[in-house]
Amino acid sequence: MMYGIQYNGLKDTDIGVLVVSRPSVPAPEPKVTTWNIAGRDGSLYSSDDFYDDIQIFVELNFMAPVNEWAARARQIKQWLLDRKKDKRLYLSDDMSFFYKVKNVSVGEITRSSKRIGNLTPMFTCDPYMYLSTGENDYSADEVKQNPYMTSRPVYRITGDGMCTLTVNGNEMTANVGQNLTIDTDLMIAYRQDGTLQNTAITGDYEDLYLLPGENVISITSGFNLSVSPKWRTL
């Protein structure tokens, strides 16, 4: 079976490129603070449970007629450098998860023959792998059990008036006018039409994170709540 990737909503074969070999994916490095204390052997280390970005190099090649080679190279660059799409990287043998790409460096596109081109773009990614189904919307009961690491969900509320969203005993109050989306990762609140509603809420976004294990989620009676859990792991 041929190995491939999917990025920005397109498979490599959709663009006319092939993956030479499965890329090696590094484990993320925790952000660690080091102290050296006079009169003490070794160093002291502390971690705040944050991680550095990872870099994934994917070796690609492509073949095109001589008079179409340059056009194909431009198409590939446009695919990789387009910042307006979903910027998710999938590896074909693990399509249940994706990486959030923060930046792509295409580097040099070499021409090993008149028809064949080679490149190894570098994808700089968020340190986490995200479960594809974690992008879907669920009821509060369906996401109360988090089998992964702490996640930063999106809450969608429908109804009218003041309500209180409670997660693990932490409260956020919101003035909802028909609908309200609370994105705890971007730390913004907005309506479905994109209108910002940050002044309509009171509380801390971090308090709404879904912790590993059991979570307790509730909302004021008369309002409907759906949750996109954004499950993630290393």
Side-chain angles (χ1 to χ4, degrees), residues 33-45:
T33 302
T34 305
W35 291 275
N36 293 307
I37 300 176
R40 182 185 179 104
D41 292 325
S43 302
L44 297 178
Y45 301 86

Side-chain angles (χ1 to χ4, degrees), residues 132-144:
S132 299
T133 55
E135 302 299 294
N136 300 334
D137 285 335
Y138 301 91
S139 69
D141 283 343
E142 290 175 310
V143 300
K144 65 182 182 181

Side-chain angles (χ1 to χ4, degrees), residues 16-34:
V17 295
L18 296 175
V19 178
V20 176
S21 62
R22 190 192 196 281
S24 298
V25 179
E29 294 290 337
K31 292 186 175 181
V32 175
T33 302
T34 305

Side-chain angles (χ1 to χ4, degrees), residues 15-18 60-64 69-70 72-73 76 109-110 115-119:
I15 304 297
V17 295
L18 296 175
L60 304 173
N61 63 23
F62 64 94
M63 180 181 293
W69 192 96
R72 179 66 56 79
I76 293 168
I109 301 179
T110 61
R115 299 181 60 199
I116 298 176
N118 306 274
L119 66 156

Side-chain angles (χ1 to χ4, degrees), residues 10-152:
L10 294 172
K11 295 180 180 179
D12 50 355
T13 51
D14 295 333
I15 304 297
V17 295
L18 296 175
V19 178
V20 176
S21 62
R22 190 192 196 281
S24 298
V25 179
E29 294 290 337
K31 292 186 175 181
V32 175
T33 302
T34 305
W35 291 275
N36 293 307
I37 300 176
R40 182 185 179 104
D41 292 325
S43 302
L44 297 178
Y45 301 86
S46 73
S47 175
D48 52 13
D49 293 327
F50 291 99
Y51 298 86
D52 287 323
D53 292 336
I54 61 172
Q55 294 176 335
I56 302 175
F57 294 84
V58 183
E59 187 178 356
L60 304 173
N61 63 23
F62 64 94
M63 180 181 293
V66 175
N67 61 345
E68 296 178 12
W69 192 96
R72 179 66 56 79
R74 287 192 293 271
Q75 182 186 22
I76 293 168
K77 287 187 288 185
Q78 181 176 345
W79 168 55
L80 293 172
L81 297 176
D82 190 340
R83 296 179 176 272
K84 297 180 180 179
K85 296 186 178 179
D86 65 8
K87 298 181 71 65
R88 297 176 186 174
L89 175 65
Y90 292 84
L91 306 182
S92 64
D93 61 350
D94 195 18
M95 291 293 287
S96 296
F97 289 86
F98 66 88
Y99 297 90
K100 288 185 178 180
V101 178
K102 293 183 173 181
N103 188 60
V104 179
S105 175
V106 174
E108 184 180 14
I109 301 179
T110 61
R111 195 166 185 170
S112 55
S113 73
K114 291 183 178 180
R115 299 181 60 199
I116 298 176
N118 306 274
L119 66 156
T120 305
M122 179 182 74
F123 296 85
T124 300
C125 303
D126 184 296
Y128 297 94
M129 301 172 65
Y130 290 83
L131 190 66
S132 299
T133 55
E135 302 299 294
N136 300 334
D137 285 335
Y138 301 91
S139 69
D141 283 343
E142 290 175 310
V143 300
K144 65 182 182 181
Q145 186 66 36
N146 178 5
Y148 301 101
M149 302 181 71
T150 298
S151 70
R152 301 178 179 184

